């Protein structure tokens, strides 16, 4: 079971990373905060101070087309915001 699925790279999370040392990840729905902390520390070699998690629900939409109504749905996922010790940072762009 992979704990960290992918990092969240948006303008808001990037600004939080620069200013407050907070980074976002999409994580597996079944993991808890302790497992997320251990996974981030092992993967990036940093010290995690705080972990906040939230479950993002699925969003449904209806599109009206020439052929009729089409219903669509986005997937639900779990998001984790990880705060690092002052002085630590994660560089997602180092291996590009």
């Amino acid at each position: 079971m992979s704990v960290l699925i992918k990092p969240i790279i948006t303008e808001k999370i990037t600004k939080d990373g620069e200013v407050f040392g907070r980074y976002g990840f999409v994580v597996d729905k079944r993991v808890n905060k302790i497992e997320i902390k251990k996974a981030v520390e092992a993967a990036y070699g940093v010290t995690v101070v705080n972990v906040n998690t939230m479950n993002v629900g699925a969003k449904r939409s209806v599109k009206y087309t020439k052929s009729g109504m089409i219903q669509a749905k986005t997937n639900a996922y779990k998001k984790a915001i990880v705060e690092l010790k002052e002085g630590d940072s994660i560089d997602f762009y180092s291996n590009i």
Side-chain angles (χ1 to χ4, degrees), residues 2-45:
S2 177
V3 175
L4 302 175
I5 296 174
K6 66 179 180 178
I8 299 172
I9 302 174
T10 60
E11 290 182 21
K12 186 175 182 179
I13 292 289
T14 304
K15 188 182 95 172
D16 276 356
E18 294 170 356
V19 177
F20 301 111
R22 295 184 195 136
Y23 297 91
F25 295 94
V26 175
V27 296
D28 189 3
K29 290 182 184 181
R30 299 167 290 195
V31 298
N32 58 23
K33 293 181 180 186
I34 297 166
E35 294 171 338
I36 294 169
K37 178 180 177 179
K38 288 179 184 176
V40 171
E41 288 177 347
Y44 296 103

Side-chain angles (χ1 to χ4, degrees), residues 8-84:
I8 299 172
I9 302 174
T10 60
E11 290 182 21
K12 186 175 182 179
I13 292 289
T14 304
K15 188 182 95 172
D16 276 356
E18 294 170 356
V19 177
F20 301 111
R22 295 184 195 136
Y23 297 91
F25 295 94
V26 175
V27 296
D28 189 3
K29 290 182 184 181
R30 299 167 290 195
V31 298
N32 58 23
K33 293 181 180 186
I34 297 166
E35 294 171 338
I36 294 169
K37 178 180 177 179
K38 288 179 184 176
V40 171
E41 288 177 347
Y44 296 103
V46 294
T47 304
V48 176
V49 176
N50 190 16
V51 178
N52 294 326
T53 60
M54 60 198 83
N55 288 313
V56 180
K59 295 183 180 177
R60 298 179 185 276
S61 66
V62 177
K63 299 175 183 173
Y64 298 99
T65 63
K66 290 181 182 178
S67 61
M69 270 189 350
I70 298 174
Q71 295 182 352
K73 172 179 94 83
T74 61
N75 292 331
Y77 60 95
K78 187 172 189 175
K79 183 170 27 174
I81 306 298
V82 177
E83 186 175 345
L84 303 181

